[in-house]
Amino acid sequence: MSYAPTGTWNVLKKLQFIEEATFGQTPSSPAFTIAGHNVMLRETTEVSSQKYRESGSRDLYQMLKTGELYSFELRYQPVNTALVRYGTELPSGAGTIEKSLSFAYTQLVNDAETWYRFLGARTDQIEIEITEAAVQVSQNFLCKDIPAAVTADPFTTPTYAGADSLAPYTGASSGSNPLSINSVNYDTPRFKVTVNWNLEVIKPNGETQAKFILPTNRDISVEFDTWVKSDVLRSDAKSLTARSATYTIAPSKTVTLTDLYLTRHSKSNDAGNSKHLMETLAGTAKSVAVSA
């Protein structure tokens, strides 16, 4: 049987999303929003099962299906903070972790446009890393279902997002002095914040798919590099002093950290290194908020 192989270059409608009113259900007449400039999308379908054996045979008797687990990992360069905020903000209505999402994209598979969907998706972990080259977001989702791919549009009167002509954020999008700790500016070539929601998948007996996927405790970690100019940051780590901190991603787009506790400091004087001395700091924040 002949077929036409496909590749990432055969994506036709880029990954896009819409907020759900009911967990696991795409709203009628959905108006989708583009999910940034995608670098990588990795999706996983896993069937939970039990091995069943019986006496009189060395071989497996049967595999018994007990559930379905779905997840996907998205790495992208944002042009706004809409999707980011679904992975950073406390439950507080629309645009936060409180709401689940439906995603869709199409790809030319065996010469036919094919629709792929992720339903009932919530962020389990999001990592925002800012370097000179890019603001790169890695967002891991758990979802209720990844339905079978279809070659006919599964949505009723959808409005798909068009091609995005906006340039993605880079390390230069912020302007000067993006990082401030305790109202003091620190130069940095790398800043990373990670938010983990510790999602709980609730699947009662009798259900093969998740009935609920809900956020529990929020864990926030921060790591950054800076050129050594004083002993202030190491002293903050040594005393475990809570500090306010902000990082400006782009104009009017700021990551605000409340009570940042630095817990690790490191630096290395290396005679073979011809670069100026840097220090790396890591810690935990009490809370985080990203500008809409």
mmCIF file of all heavy atoms in Angstrom, residues 3-7 9-10 108-111:
data_model
loop_
_atom_site.group_PDB
_atom_site.id
_atom_site.type_symbol
_atom_site.label_atom_id
_atom_site.label_comp_id
_atom_site.label_asym_id
_atom_site.label_seq_id
_atom_site.Cartn_x
_atom_site.Cartn_y
_atom_site.Cartn_z
ATOM 1 N N TYR A 3 1.748 5.330 0.184
ATOM 2 C CA TYR A 3 1.273 6.479 0.942
ATOM 3 C C TYR A 3 2.269 7.612 0.764
ATOM 4 O O TYR A 3 3.398 7.402 0.326
ATOM 5 C CB TYR A 3 1.102 6.139 2.426
ATOM 6 C CG TYR A 3 2.403 5.848 3.155
ATOM 7 C CD1 TYR A 3 3.055 6.839 3.883
ATOM 8 C CD2 TYR A 3 2.988 4.586 3.101
ATOM 9 C CE1 TYR A 3 4.247 6.582 4.537
ATOM 10 C CE2 TYR A 3 4.183 4.322 3.755
ATOM 11 C CZ TYR A 3 4.808 5.322 4.464
ATOM 12 O OH TYR A 3 5.989 5.072 5.112
ATOM 13 N N ALA A 4 1.831 8.811 1.129
ATOM 14 C CA ALA A 4 2.688 9.991 1.042
ATOM 15 C C ALA A 4 3.149 10.370 2.442
ATOM 16 O O ALA A 4 2.310 10.730 3.281
ATOM 17 C CB ALA A 4 1.933 11.141 0.396
ATOM 18 N N PRO A 5 4.433 10.275 2.749
ATOM 19 C CA PRO A 5 4.928 10.679 4.075
ATOM 20 C C PRO A 5 4.662 12.167 4.320
ATOM 21 O O PRO A 5 4.474 12.947 3.387
ATOM 22 C CB PRO A 5 6.428 10.387 4.011
ATOM 23 C CG PRO A 5 6.577 9.402 2.894
ATOM 24 C CD PRO A 5 5.518 9.752 1.905
ATOM 25 N N THR A 6 4.654 12.537 5.594
ATOM 26 C CA THR A 6 4.405 13.935 5.953
ATOM 27 C C THR A 6 5.529 14.451 6.834
ATOM 28 O O THR A 6 6.406 13.691 7.271
ATOM 29 C CB THR A 6 3.044 14.082 6.662
ATOM 30 O OG1 THR A 6 2.727 15.471 6.784
ATOM 31 C CG2 THR A 6 3.065 13.439 8.046
ATOM 32 N N GLY A 7 5.512 15.724 7.116
ATOM 33 C CA GLY A 7 6.518 16.333 7.988
ATOM 34 C C GLY A 7 5.958 17.592 8.617
ATOM 35 O O GLY A 7 4.836 18.034 8.310
ATOM 36 N N TRP A 9 6.627 20.538 8.047
ATOM 37 C CA TRP A 9 6.368 21.551 7.019
ATOM 38 C C TRP A 9 4.975 21.376 6.396
ATOM 39 O O TRP A 9 4.495 22.255 5.702
ATOM 40 C CB TRP A 9 7.442 21.476 5.934
ATOM 41 C CG TRP A 9 7.646 20.076 5.429
ATOM 42 C CD1 TRP A 9 6.979 19.466 4.398
ATOM 43 C CD2 TRP A 9 8.548 19.102 5.961
ATOM 44 N NE1 TRP A 9 7.407 18.175 4.251
ATOM 45 C CE2 TRP A 9 8.375 17.915 5.193
ATOM 46 C CE3 TRP A 9 9.475 19.104 7.003
ATOM 47 C CZ2 TRP A 9 9.107 16.753 5.451
ATOM 48 C CZ3 TRP A 9 10.206 17.946 7.257
ATOM 49 C CH2 TRP A 9 10.015 16.790 6.484
ATOM 50 N N ASN A 10 4.315 20.239 6.661
ATOM 51 C CA ASN A 10 2.977 19.991 6.123
ATOM 52 C C ASN A 10 1.851 20.399 7.076
ATOM 53 O O ASN A 10 0.688 20.085 6.840
ATOM 54 C CB ASN A 10 2.807 18.515 5.760
ATOM 55 C CG ASN A 10 3.613 18.101 4.553
ATOM 56 O OD1 ASN A 10 4.322 17.093 4.571
ATOM 57 N ND2 ASN A 10 3.526 18.873 3.478
ATOM 58 N N LEU A 108 -1.180 17.949 6.644
ATOM 59 C CA LEU A 108 -1.366 17.159 5.430
ATOM 60 C C LEU A 108 -0.779 15.764 5.668
ATOM 61 O O LEU A 108 0.440 15.599 5.772
ATOM 62 C CB LEU A 108 -0.670 17.844 4.254
ATOM 63 C CG LEU A 108 -1.063 17.372 2.853
ATOM 64 C CD1 LEU A 108 -2.528 17.687 2.570
ATOM 65 C CD2 LEU A 108 -0.169 18.032 1.806
ATOM 66 N N VAL A 109 -1.649 14.771 5.786
ATOM 67 C CA VAL A 109 -1.231 13.393 6.046
ATOM 68 C C VAL A 109 -1.745 12.516 4.906
ATOM 69 O O VAL A 109 -2.959 12.464 4.649
ATOM 70 C CB VAL A 109 -1.775 12.884 7.399
ATOM 71 C CG1 VAL A 109 -1.384 11.419 7.627
ATOM 72 C CG2 VAL A 109 -1.251 13.750 8.548
ATOM 73 N N ASN A 110 -0.834 11.863 4.234
ATOM 74 C CA ASN A 110 -1.187 11.039 3.076
ATOM 75 C C ASN A 110 -2.021 11.840 2.076
ATOM 76 O O ASN A 110 -3.029 11.377 1.554
ATOM 77 C CB ASN A 110 -1.924 9.772 3.512
ATOM 78 C CG ASN A 110 -1.814 8.664 2.476
ATOM 79 O OD1 ASN A 110 -0.949 8.689 1.591
ATOM 80 N ND2 ASN A 110 -2.714 7.692 2.578
ATOM 81 N N ASP A 111 -1.587 13.104 1.880
ATOM 82 C CA ASP A 111 -2.184 14.024 0.908
ATOM 83 C C ASP A 111 -3.589 14.492 1.277
ATOM 84 O O ASP A 111 -4.309 15.026 0.425
ATOM 85 C CB ASP A 111 -2.212 13.402 -0.503
ATOM 86 C CG ASP A 111 -0.818 13.304 -1.119
ATOM 87 O OD1 ASP A 111 0.042 14.135 -0.761
ATOM 88 O OD2 ASP A 111 -0.592 12.394 -1.943
#
